[in-house]
Amino acid sequence: SIGQASFCAAIAHYIFYAASAPIEVPIALVTILASVTLGVPVWTYAARYISKRLCWVLGAMLAIIAQIVVYSLNVESAAVLVALLVTIGFGTSSYIVMMWAMLPDTIEFGEWKSGLRDEGVVFGVNQFSIKSANGIGIALLGFVLGIGGFVAGTEQSSNTQFVLNTTALLVPAICSAGAVLIIWFYPIDRKTHQKLVEELGATSETAHWQ
């Protein structure tokens, strides 16, 4: 979520001040939004046939690769940059879909393990984490722009361009890679979820008749 916030906060500045490709900021932002929107039903459909964890990992890897390519190479073609932005948006949408798809599973998992169902706590902590991450990501942009000597409406120094490049692309890639390393050990696969749902259903039915 920190990486998401950093990307969203910095990408317009990066396109306008640091990108070599001749692309307008509104076009870039609409491209990213459209690719995220397109990715939502695709990842939702894919999760029916492969694990949610794998969908998250695959999407994150797509976004990471595209971000590293843009960060490392001086992309001068508008078409290539648009294609990479589409890849970033499409890959990132897997996180948006899978996080909300997996969160209810963790509640059921907790009930299965402990007998306690804590929707309020889980969703509350999740919302707090996302809002905190958004604040950190946006604050990070302001902090690094100050260090980089950013002045709006002027030609930026190579140092400022480096800061924008890092904040818009490298920071999100690193955050996504960290999330992949964590989510790789997510224990609730399709088989485990089916088992716990069946056992919770049986327990609920038994309690009802008692």
Side-chain angles (χ1 to χ4, degrees):
S1 293
I2 292 175
Q4 284 274 306
S6 179
F7 175 79
C8 292
I11 191 62
H13 290 77
Y14 166 79
I15 295 295
F16 190 80
Y17 292 107
S20 298
I23 179 174
E24 298 293 330
V25 171
I27 293 176
L29 298 182
V30 169
T31 296
I32 295 169
L33 179 61
S35 60
V36 170
T37 303
L38 174 65
V40 169
V42 173
W43 290 116
T44 301
Y45 183 80
R48 298 177 182 177
Y49 299 95
I50 60 178
S51 73
K52 298 173 185 176
R53 176 178 64 89
L54 183 56
C55 284
W56 186 323
V57 171
L58 289 175
M61 293 307 298
L62 281 175
I64 290 169
I65 291 171
Q67 286 163 340
I68 294 300
V69 168
V70 178
Y71 176 79
S72 303
L73 303 179
N74 186 27
V75 179
E76 297 182 350
S77 168
V80 172
L81 182 57
V82 166
L84 290 168
L85 291 176
V86 167
T87 304
I88 292 171
F90 181 80
T92 298
S93 65
S94 71
Y95 153 74
I96 299 171
V97 174
M98 293 308 126
M99 189 269 291
W100 289 108
M102 294 162 75
L103 196 63
D105 296 347
T106 68
I107 295 171
E108 293 172 333
F109 185 82
E111 182 181 7
W112 181 56
K113 296 289 284 187
S114 68
L116 300 176
R117 189 175 183 89
D118 291 320
E119 292 103 329
V121 172
V122 173
F123 278 96
V125 170
N126 182 64
Q127 285 293 330
F128 175 78
S129 299
I130 291 174
K131 291 184 182 298
S132 298
N134 288 339
I136 292 171
I138 294 172
L140 176 65
L141 175 63
F143 177 72
V144 296
L145 287 182
I147 293 178
F150 174 78
V151 179
T154 63
E155 184 176 349
Q156 304 302 318
S157 66
S158 58
N159 184 49
T160 304
Q161 291 178 345
F162 171 77
V163 165
L164 286 170
N165 200 14
T166 300
T167 309
L169 299 165
L170 186 59
V171 170
I174 292 173
C175 289
S176 292
V180 166
L181 290 175
I182 295 170
I183 211 66
W184 185 258
F185 298 98
Y186 179 75
I188 310 175
D189 56 18
R190 185 180 299 276
K191 183 177 179 180
T192 301
H193 184 254
Q194 182 178 0
K195 177 183 177 182
L196 69 88
V197 167
E198 290 174 353
E199 292 187 8
L200 287 174
T203 302
S204 177
E205 185 175 348
T206 301
H208 172 76
W209 286 109
Q210 287 177 344

